[in-house]
Amino acid sequence: MSNPVDTQRTYALVGTGGCGKTSLAEMLLFNSGALTRMGAIEDGTSCLDYEPEEVRRRGSIQPAVATCLWNKNRHFMLDIPGDGNFTGDMECLLKGVDSVVFVLDAVDGVRPLTKKFWNLVRAENLPAIFVINKMDRDRADFQMAFDGLATLGVKAVALQVPVREGEAFTGYVDVLTGKAYAFGDNGAVSECEVPADVADDVSLLHDLTVENIAESDEELMEKYLEEGSLSLEDLQTGLRKGTVTGELCPVLVCSSLENKGGVAVLEAIQALLPAATERPAFVDAQGQERAPDPEGPVAGFVFKTLADPFSGQLSLVRILSGTISGDVTLKNMRSGENERLGSLLFLTGKTQTPCKEPVGPGAIVAVAKLKNTRTGDSLCDEKQPFALPMPKLPPQLITYALAPKEKGDEDKVYSAIQRLLDEDITLRLARDEENGDILLSGMGQLHIELSVEKAKRRFKVDINLKTPKVPYRETVRGKVQVQGRHKKQSGGRGQFGDCWIEMEGLPRGSGYVFEDAIVGGVIPRQYIPAIDKGIQEAAARGFLAGCQVVDFRVKVYDGSYHTVDSSEMAFKVAGSLAFKKAMESLKPVLLEPIVLLTVSVPDECMGDVIGDLSSRRGKVLGSDSAAGVTEIKAHVPMSEVLRYAPDLRSMTAGQGFFTMEFAHYEEAPQPVADKVIAEHQKAVAGE
């Protein structure tokens, strides 16, 4: 009897937003018997999009897991969102699976984001099959979508050719066997004649598929060259081997909305994708290997944390090695603490089923209420430790300031968002030290808006979103010498501090330099740090627009003191006064932050996007085009791209994406500086 682990499949559904991944999952679950009826995204009844925000916007915003039995073989399915707002943790999620079902839209084919997602799949060395979905659509074009796979560097092998009558998707032809099948009710198929209008296409694709399979294996290639053909058994064996090694990518067709092709997809998953025990060993940060052996020491990786209204926090654990059942204690390799795993659960959307049998490598189980375990943690046998490295996450692209509707509720807002960070590792929460704002950073405007919506719903806190202050800076040019003198007498002990400083601007990025040039004890040594502190505090408050002053040097070279009235506080005030005097003389300027923007768009959108970047005062550094996608790099003022995500989406019909990172500071143009200074003065007057 075969080990159940050997017939088990663990795979992710990957593809760009709107290609029908969740509908495909729904169809697979229905055909496997896990669901008694197919739900629909449009009706808000799909099994895997169950969060209220997902139902409202008719699209996935968080990954969902489903478990089903197909011909008595257990399948673990991970549906990963395709909207760029919600894919920042894809590298972490892909560590939870052994293979990928990559979904393409038959109307749009390969999009710019497709390439990005495929590169992530390839980086994890995951075998994949491609499913061209939405073959029922009016403008569905199988050949266009299939040809587009070449731009990904994929050796695609077509296993099916769709059959259409008018605009209807009525069946398919199996390329390897040459048999045609017509769709009936509820996903059923029946054999039929090969339609004359696709016979030539099938013949051409058959020859190409046979050649590709033969080329993927030396023995098969020799046999093919000697005999001129290969048996069906040879082809199926070679196809599976080539798929598991990543050499070949089989391609199937379906219409998940009409439940057509689901059984064939399930059969291909079972026949072609690897079991957990067939994958290469896992490797930790030190290069130590851990084989996916059911008899080996226990290790698991927490690839996602979900919030459940009844169970609290759910940790989704992928078993890497060993076999476990409930009520086991494992060590968290990050915290060093032991965690007791209570009951193990199988998930299908929000439905939880107790796991009654021991589970081994490849299994995905949910565990409730772990004390100190978060996404990216490894849990293992204390005596044989192993930790999978946490992948590096992409930088956040947009930041908003959060404000409570009710004054005084700042802490309530902060703690509500803090609780979301456990389940969404692509969010960043911080406080702006300059103005006290609560800052929430994420992968796009929609990501931030839906996170705030979720916090409002779950934790009953009203939050307003406001665009945060851009972190402008101020600096000086030239050099000046000034006196800072603080003298106060009001009966009893007075205050006296007196210092002369030389202040000058430094090259961009030099920071702040303080130099003590006092000789002869004109200022006692213990008061020098107080002058430095007074200058730094004044610089943090700014001079023009309340922004920190940077890139300058101060030299204290003279001064005087009073044996009774001088104190650290007096010299701190004197330093602050000297700084303000110097700023008045040096004609300070405003600096604006510049970001490096990398934008990937379809070739046909390049002109519009470059024109738009120019209108945002951007300087295009260069562009590179490959496989129908242009990558543009540009330096752009941060203030011009705070809300870039929705604008790019509308310019590229949702097919463009970008990354953004801080580059440097530049002097702001006078109109920009005048506007920022005026807004600051207005805010100060309002206070």
Side-chain angles (χ1 to χ4, degrees):
M1 181 180 161
S2 69
N3 186 330
V5 174
D6 295 336
T7 60
Q8 180 181 285
R9 300 291 179 263
T10 306
Y11 50 93
L13 302 178
V14 177
T16 57
C19 68
K21 293 181 300 301
T22 304
S23 299
L24 176 62
E26 199 84 13
M27 176 174 70
L28 299 182
L29 291 171
F30 175 72
N31 281 289
S32 71
L35 298 179
T36 53
R37 59 179 289 274
M38 277 180 63
I41 310 286
E42 287 70 20
D43 303 337
T45 55
S46 81
C47 165
L48 300 185
D49 282 352
Y50 55 85
E51 285 278 308
E53 292 80 15
E54 293 178 310
V55 172
R56 181 179 59 77
R57 70 180 293 271
R58 296 176 182 175
S60 306
I61 66 171
Q62 69 177 25
V65 172
T67 313
C68 65
L69 289 173
W70 167 245
N71 288 345
K72 299 183 181 178
N73 304 309
R74 189 167 292 285
H75 283 206
F76 295 99
M77 187 189 305
L78 175 62
D79 179 20
I80 299 180
D83 186 315
N85 281 277
F86 311 108
T87 56
D89 59 348
M90 189 182 284
E91 285 177 80
C92 194
L93 296 171
L94 290 175
K95 289 195 178 295
V97 298
D98 300 311
S99 55
V100 162
V101 175
F102 206 111
V103 187
L104 289 183
D105 186 320
V107 177
D108 292 332
V110 172
R111 303 172 178 176
L113 259 182
T114 309
K115 189 175 182 183
K116 181 183 178 185
F117 293 168
W118 179 246
N119 287 341
L120 292 176
V121 171
R122 268 291 175 251
E124 290 295 323
N125 290 317
L126 294 174
I129 63 174
F130 281 84
V131 175
I132 299 175
N133 194 10
K134 300 190 176 181
M135 284 306 308
D136 57 301
R137 297 296 169 94
D138 290 349
R139 294 183 296 111
D141 188 337
F142 166 76
Q143 198 60 49
M144 175 275 299
F146 181 74
D147 291 345
L149 292 173
T151 66
L152 302 178
V154 167
K155 187 173 267 191
V157 286
L159 300 188
Q160 298 171 338
V161 173
V163 175
R164 288 164 65 89
E165 292 179 11
E167 297 301 331
F169 176 42
T170 58
Y172 66 89
V173 180
D174 185 310
V175 173
L176 291 184
T177 64
K179 293 178 180 177
Y181 297 91
F183 293 122
D185 296 332
N186 282 333
V189 293
S190 56
E191 197 173 332
C192 62
E193 289 290 316
V194 176
D197 60 339
V198 298
D200 288 346
D201 290 344
V202 172
S203 178
L204 280 170
L205 277 173
H206 177 270
D207 294 345
L208 185 63
T209 296
V210 170
E211 282 179 22
N212 281 335
I213 293 172
E215 285 173 3
S216 71
D217 184 273
E218 281 186 27
E219 285 182 28
L220 283 182
M221 192 65 192
E222 284 179 23
K223 193 171 183 181
Y224 179 62
L225 291 173
E226 284 174 15
E227 300 177 12
S229 64
L230 292 171
S231 68
L232 182 59
E233 188 181 343
D234 283 339
L235 289 170
Q236 289 170 338
T237 303
L239 179 61
R240 183 173 203 277
K241 186 178 176 184
T243 305
V244 170
T245 60
E247 183 79 18
L248 302 176
C249 290
V251 183
L252 296 97
V253 294
C254 78
S255 164
S256 53
L257 210 58
E258 295 185 344
N259 187 20
K260 292 176 177 177
V263 171
V265 173
L266 282 166
E267 287 173 344
I269 288 168
Q270 190 64 45
L272 301 176
L273 293 180
T277 48
E278 295 177 277
R279 64 167 295 148
F282 298 96
V283 183
D284 68 10
Q286 286 73 45
Q288 178 183 311
E289 293 190 347
R290 175 64 61 89
D293 179 3
E295 306 299 323
V298 173
F301 179 70
V302 181
F303 65 87
K304 184 66 182 175
T305 306
L306 297 175
D308 183 81
F310 306 107
S311 309
Q313 183 173 293
L314 283 178
S315 300
L316 298 186
V317 184
R318 182 241 153 78
I319 310 303
L320 305 176
S321 64
T323 301
I324 65 166
S325 49
D327 295 319
V328 63
T329 298
L330 298 175
K331 182 180 180 179
N332 183 314
M333 291 296 289
R334 174 188 55 82
S335 67
E337 297 177 15
N338 285 337
E339 289 276 19
R340 182 162 186 78
L341 279 60
S343 301
L344 306 182
L345 302 167
F346 286 147
L347 294 187
T348 299
K350 63 180 176 181
T351 305
Q352 302 173 5
T353 310
C355 169
K356 293 176 181 175
E357 73 262 23
V359 290
I364 293 175
V365 291
V367 187
K369 298 176 182 174
L370 295 179
K371 298 195 302 281
N372 187 24
T373 293
R374 61 190 190 209
T375 304
D377 285 353
S378 291
L379 302 169
C380 64
D381 185 327
E382 190 174 7
K383 292 174 183 171
Q384 291 180 282
F386 181 83
L388 209 56
M390 174 68 177
K392 187 181 177 186
L393 297 173
Q396 284 72 32
L397 300 178
I398 194 167
T399 301
Y400 276 82
L402 309 182
K405 275 193 176 168
E406 298 294 325
K407 207 162 176 64
D409 277 357
E410 284 81 6
D411 288 344
K412 197 174 173 186
V413 167
Y414 194 88
S415 65
I417 298 295
Q418 183 83 44
R419 290 168 73 181
L420 289 185
L421 303 190
D422 291 333
E423 59 185 285
D424 191 344
I425 56 175
T426 61
L427 288 172
R428 284 287 173 274
L429 185 62
R431 284 191 190 269
D432 189 326
E433 292 178 7
E434 291 180 33
N435 54 43
D437 280 349
I438 298 171
L439 301 178
L440 183 62
S441 304
M443 307 313 294
Q445 184 180 350
L446 186 62
H447 185 208
I448 300 287
E449 288 173 352
L450 290 178
S451 297
V452 166
E453 206 174 291
K454 199 184 284 185
K456 286 180 183 178
R457 172 174 58 81
R458 287 191 191 165
F459 310 119
K460 308 294 183 276
V461 57
D462 279 327
I463 303 171
N464 287 329
L465 270 182
K466 55 178 184 175
T467 306
K469 287 184 178 178
V470 175
Y472 292 104
R473 295 287 181 259
E474 300 172 23
T475 194
V476 292
R477 292 176 294 199
K479 184 191 291 188
V480 70
Q481 293 180 339
V482 294
Q483 180 186 25
R485 182 179 173 88
H486 175 59
K487 184 177 181 182
K488 195 171 182 183
Q489 199 73 43
S490 55
R493 185 176 173 179
Q495 294 180 36
F496 182 83
D498 174 32
C499 65
W500 279 86
I501 69 167
E502 180 181 273
M503 182 166 158
E504 66 175 330
L506 293 176
R508 202 75 64 244
S510 301
Y512 165 66
V513 178
F514 180 79
E515 191 179 324
D516 174 10
I518 294 296
V519 291
V522 290
I523 299 175
R525 192 65 45 214
Q526 71 264 29
Y527 297 143
I528 304 295
I531 298 171
D532 182 14
K533 192 172 183 184
I535 291 166
Q536 287 195 55
E537 287 184 3
R541 291 191 293 272
F543 180 79
L544 291 173
C547 308
Q548 185 168 354
V549 183
V550 296
D551 302 335
F552 67 99
R553 181 180 67 86
V554 169
K555 179 168 77 174
V556 183
Y557 65 91
D558 201 1
S560 60
Y561 72 102
H562 189 280
T563 51
V564 176
D565 292 347
S566 286
S567 65
E568 286 186 12
M569 179 55 71
F571 273 99
K572 183 176 162 186
V573 175
S576 173
L577 292 171
F579 173 82
K580 287 175 186 170
K581 267 194 192 177
M583 291 297 286
E584 288 167 5
S585 304
L586 284 171
K587 295 179 182 172
V589 294
L590 194 73
L591 300 174
E592 64 177 347
I594 306 296
V595 297
L596 174 63
L597 201 65
T598 304
V599 194
S600 293
V601 297
D603 286 346
E604 61 270 22
C605 301
M606 181 183 76
D608 290 345
V609 171
I610 287 179
D612 176 72
L613 290 173
S614 298
S615 73
R616 297 171 188 266
R617 299 188 286 123
K619 295 173 188 168
V620 175
L621 305 174
S623 63
D624 186 27
S625 182
V629 177
T630 299
E631 185 179 89
I632 305 159
K633 289 186 182 289
H635 277 150
V636 193
M638 185 186 286
S639 60
E640 301 286 349
V641 286
L642 286 175
R643 292 171 57 86
Y644 187 57
D647 295 341
L648 181 66
R649 193 178 297 120
S650 64
M651 272 187 288
T652 62
Q655 296 192 49
F657 69 94
F658 71 99
T659 59
M660 181 168 71
E661 58 187 273
F662 172 76
H664 58 270
Y665 276 95
E666 277 181 16
E667 189 174 326
Q670 201 56 50
V672 173
D674 290 344
K675 184 181 175 187
V676 173
I677 292 165
E679 285 174 357
H680 172 68
Q681 290 171 345
K682 186 179 175 184
V684 170
E687 288 172 5

